[in-house]
């Protein structure tokens, strides 16, 4: 996952696109207006002040294309409007082009108030009207140029709204990616908790058994238990590493690292504490591991969970693992019952043991089932003198079809 920084590399500080097409069109516009300005100025013998102000407006237009700071861009727009509007009448409305460009530039700038371009257009209309009255230009000329300036206001406002929408879209994308990152971290933390609770809890029981066997002089049995404890610790470390890997960038996934991280290396010890992976995880391995830790468990129903799809099966295995860890921790030596009941188009899985339990694992159980998004639910609470973890899962249609066949 790659987090956005909020900065679009195609944007300049003023919020303008840096595309080559935009630069080319603006450069062509500057060249055309400059050509006709010079040509008409020579033919009509413009006074010096018209040449100066016209050149200043064109220079500001060019500066607008190369400006790199918001202040420079804003100044360029203001100069285009101020200088260009004064010479609109002497140049027979030719220099209204940089005035309109300046109005669009200011109107699209998100760093100035939205009404700024309208005020600038109104000021330009006043300057043009005064110049027209001095030069005895027609009212139609003033109305025509005013219409062009108002069009510039509308174009600037439209571009402003487009940029606001683009900024909001980028902000929404950043929030979505941040939420996904937090969800990944929460999932990894939950997996680490499940792994450590299962592995360390079993490790404590194994070491207690080793100590008791050594006190009884049963060295061979103690050695076997110590080997099992070592294998359990190695398994827990390997699974914790896989959970931590979820916090890393997804770039490793594209490179095919999932196949490496999900498959134990040949050197890794194999234990019943890890769910079988031949047809996906099931409950048989957890039951065998619980018994190897000295726990007593009674099972009923299809512990291979053949009616469920892979995602629901994995969620059930993780929740049952946490429930068995809680049972060993809070009710050591007490019998545990595990029932898998097929009820029409759903499967109910119930783990019950004497004594209440709690902790972060219960929250992780609910979060894990909520992520499935299929209506699956898990409840954990006291029932009489037992602590019961009950899961209700809809049967996947494909799995159900295969089960009927």
């Amino acid at each position: 996952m790659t987090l956005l920084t909020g900065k679009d590399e195609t944007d300049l500080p003023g919020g303008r696109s840096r595309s080559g097409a935009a630069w080319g069109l603006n450069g062509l516009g500057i060249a055309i207006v400059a050509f006709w300005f010079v040509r008409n100025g020579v033919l009509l013998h413009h006074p010096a002040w018209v040449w100066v102000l016209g050149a200043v407006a064109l220079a500001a237009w060019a500066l607008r294309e190369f400006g790199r700071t918001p202040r420079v861009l804003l100044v360029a727009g203001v100069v285009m409007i101020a200088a260009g509007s004064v010479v609109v009448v002497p140049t027979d409305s030719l220099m209204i082009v940089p005035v309109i460009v300046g109005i669009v530039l200011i109107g699209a700038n998100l760093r100035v108030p939205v009404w700024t371009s309208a005020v600038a257009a109104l000021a330009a209309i006043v300057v043009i009207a005064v110049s027209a009255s001095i030069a005895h230009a027609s009212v139609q000329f003033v109305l025509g140029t005013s219409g062009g300036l108002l069009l510039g206001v509308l174009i600037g406002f439209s571009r402003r709204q487009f940029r606001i929408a683009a900024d909001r879209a980028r902000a929404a994308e950043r929030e979505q990616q941040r939420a996904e990152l937090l969800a990944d971290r929460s999932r990894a933390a939950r997996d680490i908790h499940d792994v450590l609770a299962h592995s360390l809890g079993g490790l404590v029981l194994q070491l207690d058994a080793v100590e008791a066997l050594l006190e009884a002089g049963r060295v061979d049995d103690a050695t076997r238990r110590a080997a099992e404890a070592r294998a359990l610790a190695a398994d827990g470390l390997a699974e914790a590493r896989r959970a931590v890997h979820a916090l890393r960038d997804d770039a490793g996934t594209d490179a095919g690292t999932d196949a490496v991280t999900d498959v134990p290396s040949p050197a890794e010890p194999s234990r019943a504490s890890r769910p079988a992976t031949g047809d996906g995880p099931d409950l048989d391995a957890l039951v065998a591991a619980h018994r190897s830790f000295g726990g007593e468990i009674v099972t009923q129903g299809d512990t291979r969970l053949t009616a469920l799809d892979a995602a629901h099966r994995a969620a059930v295995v993780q929740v049952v693992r946490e429930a068995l860890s809680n049972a060993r921790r809070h009710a050591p030596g007490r019998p545990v019952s595990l029932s898998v009941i097929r009820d029409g188009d759903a499967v109910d899985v119930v783990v019950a043991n004497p004594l209440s339990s709690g902790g972060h694992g219960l929250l992780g159980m609910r979060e894990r089932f909520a992520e499935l998004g299929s209506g699956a639910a898990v409840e954990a609470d006291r029932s009489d003198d037992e602590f019961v973890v009950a899961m209700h899962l809809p049967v996947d249609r494909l799995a159900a079809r295969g089960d009927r066949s």
Side-chain angles (χ1 to χ4, degrees), residues 183-194 243-247:
D184 288 342
R185 290 179 175 177
S186 175
R187 187 180 303 111
R190 186 176 60 244
D191 291 343
I192 292 173
H193 171 271
D194 292 347
V244 171
H245 186 269
L247 290 173

Side-chain angles (χ1 to χ4, degrees), residues 63-271:
L63 178 64
R64 177 252 186 190
E65 291 307 305
F66 299 98
R68 290 294 184 271
T69 64
R71 180 174 298 180
V72 171
L73 296 174
L74 182 60
V75 170
V78 172
V79 171
M80 276 191 284
I81 296 172
S85 60
V86 175
V87 294
V88 167
V89 175
T91 59
D92 197 19
S93 75
L94 175 64
M95 296 304 294
I96 197 175
V97 177
V99 178
I100 295 175
V101 172
I103 290 174
V104 171
L105 175 64
I106 293 178
N109 195 324
L110 301 180
R111 295 174 176 83
V112 298
V114 65
W115 46 262
T116 306
S117 61
V119 172
L122 181 60
I125 291 173
V126 171
V127 173
I128 293 172
V130 172
S131 300
S133 63
I134 295 175
H136 303 290
S138 65
V139 176
Q140 289 80 2
F141 178 88
V142 176
L143 294 177
T145 54
S146 300
L149 299 180
L150 294 178
L151 179 62
V153 173
L154 294 178
I155 294 174
F157 180 77
S158 176
R159 294 185 63 183
R160 183 188 189 93
Q161 294 302 110
F162 176 80
R163 287 168 180 166
I164 290 176
D167 287 347
R168 289 176 177 172
R170 284 195 290 268
E173 185 178 0
R174 287 196 300 271
E175 286 299 319
Q176 180 181 0
Q177 292 184 345
R178 182 175 181 273
E180 291 175 355
L181 177 61
L182 294 178
D184 288 342
R185 290 179 175 177
S186 175
R187 187 180 303 111
R190 186 176 60 244
D191 291 343
I192 292 173
H193 171 271
D194 292 347
V195 168
L196 293 182
H198 176 75
S199 301
L200 295 181
L203 186 60
V204 169
L205 293 177
Q206 293 281 23
L207 294 179
D208 287 343
V210 169
E211 183 180 6
L213 291 171
L214 289 176
E215 291 177 354
R218 298 166 60 184
V219 178
D220 292 340
D221 291 339
T223 302
R224 178 178 57 82
R225 286 282 189 174
E228 291 181 355
R230 181 187 180 282
L232 177 63
D235 258 7
L237 179 60
E239 293 186 20
R241 284 173 176 169
R242 280 192 288 272
V244 171
H245 186 269
L247 290 173
R248 298 179 179 174
D249 197 334
D250 288 338
T253 302
D254 298 334
T257 57
D258 281 352
V260 177
T261 56
D262 290 341
V263 179
S265 65
E268 277 190 21
S270 176
R271 272 201 55 82

Side-chain angles (χ1 to χ4, degrees), residues 350-362:
V350 180
V351 182
N353 64 273
L355 193 66
S356 146
S357 51
H360 295 290
L362 302 183

Side-chain angles (χ1 to χ4, degrees), residues 376-393:
V378 58
E379 293 294 335
D381 203 353
R382 292 196 63 148
S383 177
D384 296 331
D385 294 331
E386 290 186 322
F387 187 79
V388 179
V389 178
M391 292 158 272
H392 180 82
L393 306 99

Side-chain angles (χ1 to χ4, degrees), residues 5-66:
T5 61
K7 179 180 179 182
D8 187 351
E9 294 182 356
T10 63
D11 285 347
L12 290 177
R16 299 182 299 107
S17 172
R18 295 185 62 181
S19 66
W23 278 8
L25 290 175
N26 277 279
L28 180 62
I30 294 172
I32 292 175
V33 173
F35 170 78
W36 285 106
F37 174 70
V38 173
R39 184 177 183 278
N40 293 342
V42 172
L43 294 178
L44 300 177
H45 304 289
H46 286 326
W49 64 271
V50 174
W51 284 101
V52 171
L53 292 179
V56 170
L58 292 173
W61 190 357
L63 178 64
R64 177 252 186 190
E65 291 307 305
F66 299 98

